[in-house]
Amino acid sequence: MQHPLKLMRCRKDRERVVILGSGWAGYTIARQLDPKKFQAVVVSPRSYFAFTPLLASTAVGTLEFRTALEPIRGRRTKFEYFQGWADGVDFKNKTVAIEEAVDDPTQSLAPTRERHANKTKHEREVEKVREAKKGTLFNLSYDKLVITVGCYSQTFNTPGVRENAYFLKDVGDARRIRNRLLACFEAAALPTTSDEMRQNLLNFAIVGGGPTGIEFSAELHDIIQEDLARIYPELIPFHHITVYDVADKVLPMFDEKLAKYAMDTFRREGISIRTKHHVEGLRIGPPEHSAEKDLGEHTCYTLKVKEEGEIGVGMVVWSTGLMNNPFVAKSMANVPDLPRASVKLLESGSKIDGSSSVSWTIQKDPKSGSVITDNRLRVKLEARGDAKDKPQAILNDVYALGDCAILDGTVYPATAQVASQKADWLAKRLNRNDIEQTRFEWKNLGVMAYIGNWNALFQGGGGVGNISGRAAWVIWRGAYLTKSVSWRNKILIPTYWFINWIFGRDISRF
Amino acid sequence: MQHPLKLMRCRKDRERVVILGSGWAGYTIARQLDPKKFQAVVVSPRSYFAFTPLLASTAVGTLEFRTALEPIRGRRTKFEYFQGWADGVDFKNKTVAIEEAVDDPTQSLAPTRERHANKTKHEREVEKVREAKKGTLFNLSYDKLVITVGCYSQTFNTPGVRENAYFLKDVGDARRIRNRLLACFEAAALPTTSDEMRQNLLNFAIVGGGPTGIEFSAELHDIIQEDLARIYPELIPFHHITVYDVADKVLPMFDEKLAKYAMDTFRREGISIRTKHHVEGLRIGPPEHSAEKDLGEHTCYTLKVKEEGEIGVGMVVWSTGLMNNPFVAKSMANVPDLPRASVKLLESGSKIDGSSSVSWTIQKDPKSGSVITDNRLRVKLEARGDAKDKPQAILNDVYALGDCAILDGTVYPATAQVASQKADWLAKRLNRNDIEQTRFEWKNLGVMAYIGNWNALFQGGGGVGNISGRAAWVIWRGAYLTKSVSWRNKILIPTYWFINWIFGRDISRF
């Protein structure tokens, strides 16, 4: 066995910052940390950063998958990377246990449950010993730890959703959707497919009326109108798109007028919106009331909606709900016997004796289970026990940001914008070593959503500067082109927009 | 059940030409048949045409996968398409049995054996009845049949090759290779990987010294030198590329001087060439003599070479040998009771009575099993029986071209060039209805091969006009850019050449 980190270009004079995750928070901070001051090490099961706002476009081929990705490793990368999952953390000895994930077949898909969920606790413990021996589980020490592990997709335990729904959180999900969508049309085009099955296969349901669900519906409408209507003209009468949401309106982050504009646009485009509807299940196969029972390989799914009963669908795209990350839930709970030097006591903790070690609990948001941080993005602790006025503290050198963390006392949304602003801020503070002199505050830059047919919504920060329609679409495209990370993608994205506008989207499946 | 072909835009005054396959022969003829004269129907398990000479480039990310593809269906497509396998043909009633393949998980991979090979003949018969009932197997009638089903990859029954080797015949193969190559480097970069395992993982073997094997080795050398050497500088000393061939030289289609130039270039680039070497097996796991026995998930493969013993390798790319297509072997054998009108008797068949039906056998090449055609690409028959001077005939309205067919008395190579020239010729003949007035003759336009580091070989038709080095590389790129089918790809291919030259290849895996 090698020295565990032989390969790393260590510099003794630099602190090692281990960053768990490669999303909006983790990737941003990794790129911005000064390599002269810090040895940054990214640990993530994904070998890339996904530019999530463009995933809906890639799911229908308006853009190619890789235009929404930035490889973590590149010719100019100044930080280290290990492909793996964080499996545990020892705050006392400052090490993270890493389970490598080089060949993980789920590495590009939305996670919906703990990856070892099918094993008992004992089985997993036995496995861990074996993995440590094989080198697939190893420890990485840190000077500073940045936790940006994000959230999983929440299915609310709706029966069949985890197994049968299509998610849209990562590029593998986008590829699955693209292949399924085109396979539904190809199967419907077979001469032996019945009209009833055609109707089922070409009925697309989107669950969740947030920006992701709305933008995907809009992109789906676009590919059907602009491309599939010319390629499969006979099949177009069979298709339908429906957006379901339990709330009484979609796009809740937009003001009334813009949300209404979106709903009117959808109505004109023939997309149905069913608010106050409750999805109760999703299974493979046609509805009970269907004439067809044995449908061969091209069967549809059946969506069960409380208000509508069973509905045959070709695909359900599930874009609602965040689930607490199992790493946060399991590995970031209790912190026993932490030496006094590892924490910074807050006012209420002043009564704690300076020499002894104390057992702490990591503060969590009771609803989401997210880690609570102070306004310098440091993880908050409280002493264990039942006392009412429990001593509180800050865990030194441990930061949490992105969807897995909540800044104490704020209601910032779980968006890329908040995550990347936090990352920008933290990288700057660490580089300048001035975290005590300032505190993070989110600057709301507004929200945008594409609503199809070259229309979008834009709402400026604080609800001012609302724009809808074609002008907002120009802003939408301009913003994402500007924000896309690499020059490579700044060239490729408009190239594909142009090519697919002129020649149509590519419908090859492989 | 619908009328089987309700969806087809039939025109009574047009003959239906069913084309089996969507490769160089099938896709070319489908696009060129005059839609006013013929209703062309393509049947292929792949939803696209693969521009095979660029696959090696896509396998390392010099080009993106879709730049080597053309979707069969597009906005301007003038022919019909069903995604399926030809499962049988009835020459008497002029129908083809189609097994649909919309969700076939192998649809983008090199086939290496009959897809129902794991079933007994009886099991398959039972299954067929069920499939016909479900509509997954259906009949398609034709007026003219064009057989362009191609060949499978030949593994010569070398133990473990089918299961463990990486092929390079289709775009799914290219994607598997790209992911495996990058995963080998990522696994070697893990701190817990031993130097011995690093050496194994980064040892790449290519079996077959034809143009595909040589071009892939060259592309592999390029990505390692141009990109991976900058991304994983510590790993470069561990890597090695070796080309194996049983013959005594590589690139047999090039003349001595050019082949020597290629071998000298490879030697300079550090690529080993082992001619007269025999691969005896390939299995997963490290060699017997290895110190490591239990290697976790990132294990290597072991290649067994007669002359060298066991060698640990990260990946074996198998690019040698064609196997007769099972459709040709099974469904195109005997043709009993064919009415006299279905055939055109050749001279030797003049003794056959004009009114009765005769039992025929389709003529095959004894070595490859390919269908033998006359010089008008029509399938040749001979009467069944043991007679020495058996009557011969032509099967009316059935054409065979591409790698599954051999023009009687010729030794044309199994290349894209021959296939597409035959397709051009046949489409023209059918459009003009003048097949009796002319015959096909191949015009050798020369051969090209990329040999790495911006060098190529070009040998003009008849062995004249040999060029090697940078100038040949310009011809190589120019030729494939010109030959690429769509404007979409004529724009995207140089865009990617430029972008990957400037910014490096994308090493994200998903």
Side-chain angles (χ1 to χ4, degrees), chain A residues 98 156 256 300 370-371 433 470 491:
Chain A
I98 309 293
F156 308 103
E256 211 61 46
C300 57
S370 297
V371 174
N433 194 23
R470 193 61 51 92
I491 297 169

Side-chain angles (χ1 to χ4, degrees), chain B residues 89-92 333-339 357-361 384:
Chain B
V89 54
D90 179 343
F91 293 109
K92 193 173 167 190
N334 297 323
V335 193
D337 300 324
L338 210 55
S357 68
V358 181
S359 278
W360 300 94
T361 295
R384 291 179 77 172

Side-chain angles (χ1 to χ4, degrees), chain B residues 251-314:
Chain B
L251 295 174
M253 61 291 297
F254 287 89
D255 76 19
E256 211 63 45
K257 221 178 123 194
L258 284 177
K260 193 179 169 304
Y261 180 88
M263 291 184 73
D264 289 344
T265 307
F266 269 32
R267 202 168 300 123
R268 265 201 313 281
E269 289 167 352
I271 304 173
S272 304
I273 296 197
R274 304 253 189 281
T275 49
K276 296 188 206 167
H277 276 59
H278 300 78
V279 171
E280 293 182 327
L282 177 64
R283 61 176 170 79
I284 200 154
E288 289 287 337
H289 55 75
S290 170
E292 305 204 38
K293 293 301 170 197
D294 183 14
L295 287 133
E297 280 146 55
H298 299 300
T299 193
C300 57
Y301 295 95
T302 293
L303 182 69
K304 207 175 152 196
V305 179
K306 194 177 160 194
E307 291 76 10
E308 294 180 319
E310 297 210 319
I311 302 149
V313 289

Side-chain angles (χ1 to χ4, degrees), chain B residues 153-385:
Chain B
S153 288
Q154 176 66 274
T155 63
F156 308 104
N157 287 321
T158 316
V161 169
R162 182 183 297 130
E163 299 81 5
N164 300 315
Y166 289 73
F167 297 88
L168 187 46
K169 210 173 147 52
D170 204 338
V171 68
D173 300 321
R175 184 160 66 195
R176 283 187 72 222
I177 290 176
R178 186 169 177 184
N179 276 336
R180 174 67 187 171
L181 166 67
L182 298 171
C184 283
F185 273 85
E186 200 58 57
L190 287 172
T192 48
T193 302
S194 72
D195 280 356
E196 185 187 349
M197 185 47 86
R198 283 191 179 120
Q199 205 137 23
N200 291 343
L201 284 171
L202 303 184
N203 189 16
F204 302 105
I206 291 90
V207 180
T212 307
I214 293 297
E215 289 199 336
F216 173 73
S217 312
E219 293 276 0
L220 181 58
H221 166 266
D222 284 1
I223 185 180
I224 292 175
Q225 294 308 317
E226 294 169 11
D227 295 286
L228 301 176
R230 303 195 207 183
I231 294 170
Y232 306 92
E234 313 90 340
L235 296 178
I236 292 307
F238 296 102
H239 99 280
H240 198 75
I241 304 173
T242 311
V243 180
Y244 291 95
D245 205 306
V246 286
D248 59 358
K249 61 172 185 169
V250 296
L251 295 174
M253 61 291 297
F254 287 89
D255 76 19
E256 211 63 45
K257 221 178 123 194
L258 284 177
K260 193 179 169 304
Y261 180 88
M263 291 184 73
D264 289 344
T265 307
F266 269 32
R267 202 168 300 123
R268 265 201 313 281
E269 289 167 352
I271 304 173
S272 304
I273 296 197
R274 304 253 189 281
T275 49
K276 296 188 206 167
H277 276 59
H278 300 78
V279 171
E280 293 182 327
L282 177 64
R283 61 176 170 79
I284 200 154
E288 289 287 337
H289 55 75
S290 170
E292 305 204 38
K293 293 301 170 197
D294 183 14
L295 287 133
E297 280 146 55
H298 299 300
T299 193
C300 57
Y301 295 95
T302 293
L303 182 69
K304 207 175 152 196
V305 179
K306 194 177 160 194
E307 291 76 10
E308 294 180 319
E310 297 210 319
I311 302 149
V313 289
M315 170 167 63
V316 171
V317 174
W318 191 267
S319 63
T320 180
L322 294 178
M323 185 182 104
N324 191 25
N325 193 305
F327 173 79
V328 171
K330 286 191 174 179
S331 305
M332 297 188 66
N334 297 323
V335 193
D337 300 324
L338 210 55
R340 177 62 190 79
S342 300
V343 303
K344 178 176 175 245
L345 294 177
L346 298 181
E347 256 171 67
S348 58
S350 53
K351 53 201 159 188
I352 284 179
D353 178 3
S355 61
S356 66
S357 68
V358 181
S359 278
W360 300 94
T361 295
I362 290 176
Q363 287 191 36
K364 302 270 183 78
D365 177 62
K367 203 174 144 228
S368 65
S370 298
V371 174
I372 291 181
T373 72
D374 71 351
N375 53 21
R376 292 179 179 104
L377 313 184
R378 300 176 298 198
V379 170
K380 287 188 76 175
L381 303 173
E382 61 185 7
R384 291 179 77 172

